[in-house]
Amino acid sequence: AQDVTEAAKHDRAVAAMANELRQLIDTANAPIFGIDVDGDVNEWNDKTAEITGFTKEEAFDCPLVSTFIVPSLRQSVQEVLDNALRGRETSNYELEFRTKSNEIRHLLVNATTRRDAENNIVGVVGVAQDVTEAVQRDRAVAGMANELRQLIDTANAPIFGIDVNGNVNEWNDKTVEITGFSGDEAFNQPLVETFIVPKLRQSVQEVLDNALRGRGTSNYELEFRTKSNEIRYLLVNATTRRDAENNIVGVVGVAQDVTEA
C-alpha cells in the first residue's frame, strides 16, 4: 500500500508539473508551435494563434510547412525541421508565416528537438520572436536609402564625397559627365591631389578638414581638372557626413558648375 501511495503522489506531482508547463506554453508571450515526426502541427500556443489568425483547432494536424510557410522558404524551413528531427537544432532562423488574412509575419525561431521519456525524438518545437515590425522598418529604411541613392546618382548637380582619409567614395553621374572620370576611375582616389588644380589644393584641403571636424562650408569655389585636362569651375557646399551614431565619416560636396558663367 505504501508503494502505491508513493507512486500515486509521484504521478500527481508529474501531472501537476505537466499542467504547469502546458499553461506556461499556452500563455507565453512568445509564439510557440511544434510538429510531430510527420511534420504535422501538434503544438500551437495562444500567441501563435493571435499572430497567425489560425486557431489551435484549425492548425492542429495540418502540415506546418505547406500550410503556413510562404512558398519561397518552404524548402529551407523543411531542412531546418528535418535537421531538428535528427537532433540537430537551429537558433535564430528567420521564417515567414502566412496568416489567415494572407499577410506575412516574420518570425525569428529556435527549432528544438522534442524527445519523449525514453529520449526518442518525437517532433520539433519552435520558440519564436515576432520581428515583423523590425523587418518592415528595415525594409522601409532600405527603400529610402535606395531612393536617396537614385536621387544622388541622377541629380542634375555634381555630387561627390570623401571618406575620413580624403579618398573619393561618392561620385554621381553629373560629376562623371563634367570631369570625364568614371566612378570606377575616381573611387578610392585622393580627391585633392587627383582632381584639384595645384594652386587650390591647400585651401580645398582646409575646407575638407573643417568639414571633417563638423564645420561645413557654403559656396566655396574650386577648380576641378577634367580627364581631358580642362578646368571646370564648381561652386560647392561642403557638408559633414555622419553615420547612424552621429560619428563623422566623411564629407559630401554638392556643387554647381559655374564654368560657363
Side-chain angles (χ1 to χ4, degrees):
Q2 180 69 27
D3 288 347
V4 173
T5 304
E6 292 300 324
K9 282 182 182 176
H10 176 73
D11 288 349
R12 282 198 296 270
V14 169
M17 191 183 298
N19 286 334
E20 191 176 352
L21 287 171
R22 163 57 43 215
Q23 192 173 11
L24 281 171
I25 289 171
D26 283 343
T27 62
N29 200 34
I32 300 175
F33 51 89
I35 57 165
D36 59 23
V37 290
D38 298 315
D40 297 330
V41 173
N42 63 357
E43 189 74 71
W44 197 263
N45 78 338
D46 296 347
K47 194 69 176 178
T48 309
E50 178 190 321
I51 68 168
T52 64
F54 291 101
T55 65
K56 185 177 290 191
E57 289 73 30
E58 290 172 316
F60 259 53
D61 299 321
C62 290
L64 177 76
V65 172
S66 58
T67 310
F68 302 106
I69 305 299
V70 298
S72 61
L73 290 182
R74 283 177 188 164
Q75 185 178 343
S76 60
V77 172
Q78 190 64 60
E79 286 171 8
V80 167
L81 296 176
D82 288 345
N83 282 336
L85 285 170
R86 296 186 192 103
R88 296 197 300 274
E89 300 174 343
T90 301
S91 298
N92 294 329
Y93 179 78
E94 190 173 311
L95 54 79
E96 297 174 20
F97 253 64
R98 184 180 59 78
T99 71
K100 195 171 185 177
S101 56
N102 221 28
E103 296 173 299
I104 301 298
R105 302 300 294 185
H106 299 266
L107 302 183
L108 205 60
V109 180
N110 286 358
T112 305
T113 305
R114 193 175 211 168
R115 297 174 186 270
D116 64 13
E118 282 74 45
N119 209 35
N120 300 308
I121 293 173
V122 293
V124 181
V125 173
V127 180
Q129 180 185 353
D130 186 356
V131 294
T132 305
E133 277 71 29
V135 169
Q136 288 170 344
R137 277 197 306 275
D138 289 347
R139 288 184 176 172
V141 169
M144 194 183 299
N146 286 335
E147 192 174 348
L148 286 171
R149 163 59 42 214
Q150 193 172 11
L151 281 170
I152 288 170
D153 284 344
T154 61
N156 200 35
I159 300 175
F160 51 90
I162 58 165
D163 59 22
V164 291
N165 299 312
N167 296 324
V168 173
N169 62 359
E170 190 75 70
W171 197 260
N172 79 336
D173 297 346
K174 194 68 177 179
T175 310
V176 172
E177 180 188 319
I178 68 167
T179 65
F181 291 101
S182 69
D184 291 336
E185 291 172 313
F187 261 55
N188 299 318
Q189 298 297 321
L191 177 76
V192 173
E193 63 189 70
T194 310
F195 303 107
I196 305 301
V197 296
K199 66 181 180 182
L200 290 182
R201 284 177 188 166
Q202 185 177 344
S203 61
V204 172
Q205 190 64 59
E206 286 172 6
V207 166
L208 296 176
D209 288 344
N210 281 336
L212 286 170
R213 295 187 192 101
R215 297 195 299 274
T217 302
S218 297
N219 295 329
Y220 179 79
E221 189 172 310
L222 56 77
E223 299 174 22
F224 252 64
R225 183 180 58 78
T226 71
K227 195 171 185 178
S228 57
N229 223 26
E230 296 173 298
I231 301 298
R232 304 298 294 189
Y233 297 88
L234 301 184
L235 205 60
V236 180
N237 286 358
T239 306
T240 306
R241 193 175 213 170
R242 298 176 184 270
D243 64 14
E245 282 75 46
N246 209 36
N247 301 307
I248 293 172
V249 293
V251 181
V252 174
V254 179
Q256 180 185 351
D257 185 356
V258 293
T259 307
E260 312 304 329

